[in-house]
Amino acid sequence: MRPAPEAEAITAGSAQRSAPVPAAGRAASVPAADAPLAPASRAAGLAPAPERVAAPSLTTPTAPADHPTAPAGEPRAAASTGMAVGAGQTGLDGLRPVPARGPGGGPDGNRSPDAARYTGGADIVPRAAAVPPPGAGESGPGSPLSRPGFGSPLDAEPAGHAARPAGAFADLPESTSADTQLIRRTLSEIEPISDKVTSYFYALLFLNHPELREMFPAAMDAQRDRLFKALLTSARHADEPALLEEYLTHLGRGHRKYGTQPEHYPAVGESLLGALARYAPNTWGEAAEAAWVRAYTTISQTMIDAAAENELHAPAWWQAEIVRHELRTPDIAVVTVRPDQPYPFRAGQYTSLETPWWPRVWRHYSFASAPRSDGLLSFHVKAVPAGWVSTSLVHHANPGDVIKLGAPAGSMVVDHETDNGLLCLGGGTGIAPIKALVEDVAVHGRQRPVEVFYGARSDHDLYDIETMTRLEREHPWLSVRPVISDGPTSGLRGPLPDAVRKYGPWNAFDAYLSGPPGLIRSGVSTLRGIGIPRHRIRHDSLEELVGALD
């Protein structure tokens, strides 16, 4: 997800406005799934999980053939992915919330439901599917039924699984983890039909757990996209345990604002396995099923532990009152809010935001200033057609309205341990976090050169140029260059990355980029082309940027 660069998400199709959600029914976002073979380490400072308990077998829920997401001609029942659990082992529905243990060994009565733990992560022995997935009844390479001993524990990889996955993983080296290989092959198979798979996943989830539907947005278009992007992100980093755990920890903490509880995870896992079994007949089998169960067990435990640890020192969300609303252009507003309690963050980060006009719909926005002594927070918001949240904030919000803020996130922050200069590219409302970085350098009092290239379509769109030129006058180490892509201008003209090539050299600078995904992609390519190494180019992930546009 990124701080509303140029646009906020335009969701396909129209959607009816949702009724406000009671405090007890906050949204539950669906966790992503995939993880390395070995369980990720627990968040620092957490007590070890209690001893695991045996659990009943897991059966994947089914959807009727006449359900709107069930393709015509397919069997009524999706594949059963029951797990035969041995002594000391546990299936997904055996990941039961267990109270955390206090110092004396007994349950800690002061912990809230967020702090409950799942016990899981044990080896799982898969058993044969009661109903094979579509296509599995035909013998041939890759078909589970073409192998002798189908239904018994597997020691070898299924026939036909030797080919490397294509698509999103074609640029990655072959993983040394058997589980990672199986998971990536499954995702590669469903990638061309990911919209059908995710639609079927949610159909299973809501059909078998209807109480969860009210916890999601009315329109599910963006939610479906987020699920598959999260799966791909997790699978890409499956061989990088530290990076994957950081990603899952961020997800676990962020899901607190949706009201996600530990007991929601088994329902999600069962629905995920059911959808994969139905739509990945060529790569789905007992080995793949077991790999996904192990992966999802690791993922859910990591996210639950992260949420429990975060609950010890931070709320699930903050209430924030709008205290100032300044319309800079007909479609851009600077919105300033006062949180109901201290809100710690760093310049360059962003947060997720929910408005009272669109409950359960969260959007990402960057902080437009470094932390202030008065505790106020500012955001730059551009209204776009069909942008529910952005339009509400620009055209309907007024001082006195109250919004919700999620936890701060993002790693586009200043490294104060180096004397490198800062090369900053900000396009559209992406200038907001760039301004925050400039203020952060000023607060720390170090004379580091900061070069800002401020991009916009026209001079009229340089809505914050007066603020940036004022900062330039106040700080001799700061240089601000406006760059216009369309129309007449007295300054630089053309694509923002191209303007950077005219200056330099930049070998002693760290680069920071903020704006639409297209600007980030072209900017990174340009900066690497002029010699700035990848590890010194900072921006929030493209997955986060895309999420901000939903």
Side-chain angles (χ1 to χ4, degrees), residues 183-389:
I183 288 167
R184 286 179 177 174
R185 287 164 192 160
T186 303
L187 288 172
S188 294
E189 180 177 2
I190 67 172
E191 185 176 6
I193 54 170
S194 60
D195 56 339
K196 292 183 179 180
V197 180
T198 49
S199 293
Y200 189 72
F201 160 80
Y202 284 110
L204 288 177
L205 183 66
F206 298 149
L207 183 67
N208 292 279
H209 303 276
E211 72 281 2
L212 298 182
R213 182 58 184 95
E214 66 177 12
M215 304 170 76
F216 288 80
M220 294 293 293
D221 306 72
Q223 189 70 33
R224 285 194 295 268
D225 292 341
R226 287 193 189 100
L227 172 66
F228 193 70
K229 287 185 178 74
L231 287 172
L232 291 178
T233 299
S234 296
R236 284 189 65 85
H237 299 304
D239 289 335
E240 303 171 275
L243 185 60
L244 180 62
E245 183 173 8
E246 179 182 356
Y247 174 70
L248 294 174
T249 296
H250 167 67
L251 280 182
R253 291 170 178 168
H255 278 58
R256 290 186 61 216
K257 67 179 177 288
Y258 303 125
T260 306
Q261 298 296 327
E263 56 267 23
H264 296 147
Y265 283 82
V268 171
E270 292 169 354
S271 302
L272 177 64
L273 293 183
L276 294 175
R278 188 181 189 94
Y279 284 99
N282 295 325
T283 55
W284 192 256
E286 296 168 1
E289 180 182 58
W292 275 97
V293 169
R294 285 189 290 269
Y296 186 77
T297 299
T298 297
I299 285 173
S300 58
Q301 188 68 66
T302 303
M303 293 178 66
I304 291 165
D305 285 351
E309 188 276 337
N310 182 250
E311 187 193 14
L312 298 177
H313 53 78
W317 64 73
W318 285 255
Q319 302 276 2
E321 179 185 0
I322 297 176
V323 296
R324 188 179 308 120
H325 186 281
E326 180 186 357
L327 200 62
R328 293 285 183 89
T329 74
D331 59 358
I332 295 178
V334 175
V335 181
T336 303
V337 303
R338 178 184 292 112
D340 61 346
Q341 52 187 305
Y343 188 100
F345 74 98
R346 294 183 64 182
Q349 289 190 304
Y350 63 92
T351 187
S352 51
L353 182 156
E354 181 199 59
T355 71
W357 303 282
W358 292 103
R360 298 165 291 173
V361 178
W362 295 77
R363 296 292 182 260
H364 291 146
Y365 291 93
S366 285
F367 300 106
S369 68
R372 297 167 43 160
S373 58
D374 58 9
L376 298 181
L377 310 172
S378 293
F379 306 98
H380 295 183
V381 184
K382 179 175 182 176
V384 296
W388 305 342
V389 174

Side-chain angles (χ1 to χ4, degrees), residues 434-523:
I434 300 301
K435 171 176 168 287
L437 294 176
V438 171
E439 294 177 353
D440 190 38
V441 172
V443 168
H444 280 75
R446 300 178 67 178
Q447 299 296 308
R448 302 170 61 179
V450 178
E451 301 282 338
V452 174
F453 289 81
Y454 181 6
R457 290 191 176 91
S458 67
D459 285 329
H460 173 74
D461 295 318
L462 295 171
Y463 68 92
D464 212 30
I465 190 63
E466 291 185 6
T467 302
M468 297 305 298
T469 53
R470 174 180 57 78
L471 290 171
E472 185 180 34
R473 290 192 299 270
E474 295 174 356
H475 305 294
W477 41 262
L478 173 63
S479 175
V480 178
R481 296 183 178 91
V483 182
I484 300 303
S485 61
D486 303 309
T489 179
S490 57
L492 298 174
R493 190 175 187 279
L496 185 57
D498 291 351
V500 177
R501 291 196 184 98
K502 301 178 181 178
Y503 295 84
W506 305 114
N507 56 298
F509 284 74
D510 293 334
Y512 296 79
L513 298 90
S514 176
L519 169 64
I520 304 302
R521 293 188 182 95
S522 61

Side-chain angles (χ1 to χ4, degrees), residues 100-115:
R101 297 285 174 179
D108 182 354
N110 293 325
R111 298 296 294 277
S112 75
D114 270 0

